[in-house]
Amino acid sequence: MTDVRLTAWVRGRVQGVGFRWWTRARALELGLTGWARNTGDGRVEVVAEGPREAGARLLELLRGCGTPGKVDGVVERWSEAKGDLVGFVER
């Protein structure tokens, strides 16, 4: 199975509530590599690489009701994995 890259932009009340830490924990549980960072417009950008099934599960979790704060929406983009990520970090 080929790895993929998920890029997701999460909007809502997602900064200053532990959302990046929570995302990192879920991604590591799923065996994904990548990062999560706050953007200047109040969103959180998430980049995760690994099996598509794991990325899809992370996307479900990002859209779910168990996140810190309040998610109003998630925009996603799928692409080929670049293979240049190690671990999962908060930026």
Side-chain angles (χ1 to χ4, degrees):
M1 183 170 9
T2 307
D3 285 352
V4 296
R5 177 178 280 220
L6 166 66
T7 305
W9 294 271
V10 185
R11 64 181 169 80
R13 191 171 58 83
V14 292
Q15 290 190 7
V17 294
F19 191 88
R20 290 177 301 145
W21 177 89
W22 179 89
T23 300
R24 177 182 179 271
R26 301 298 76 78
L28 290 172
E29 289 171 356
L30 293 167
L32 297 167
T33 59
W35 48 267
R37 72 177 180 101
N38 290 336
T39 64
D41 62 4
R43 296 178 299 166
V44 170
E45 180 180 16
V46 177
V47 173
E49 287 192 357
R52 185 173 185 96
E53 182 178 297
R57 178 64 182 134
L58 179 62
L59 191 57
E60 287 176 14
L61 292 168
L62 293 173
R63 290 182 167 141
C65 61
T67 65
K70 181 181 181 303
V71 173
D72 292 332
V74 180
V75 175
E76 68 189 86
R77 181 179 69 207
W78 294 92
S79 58
E80 290 183 23
K82 295 181 181 177
D84 60 348
L85 302 172
V86 177
F88 201 98
V89 297
E90 296 173 56
R91 291 187 172 173

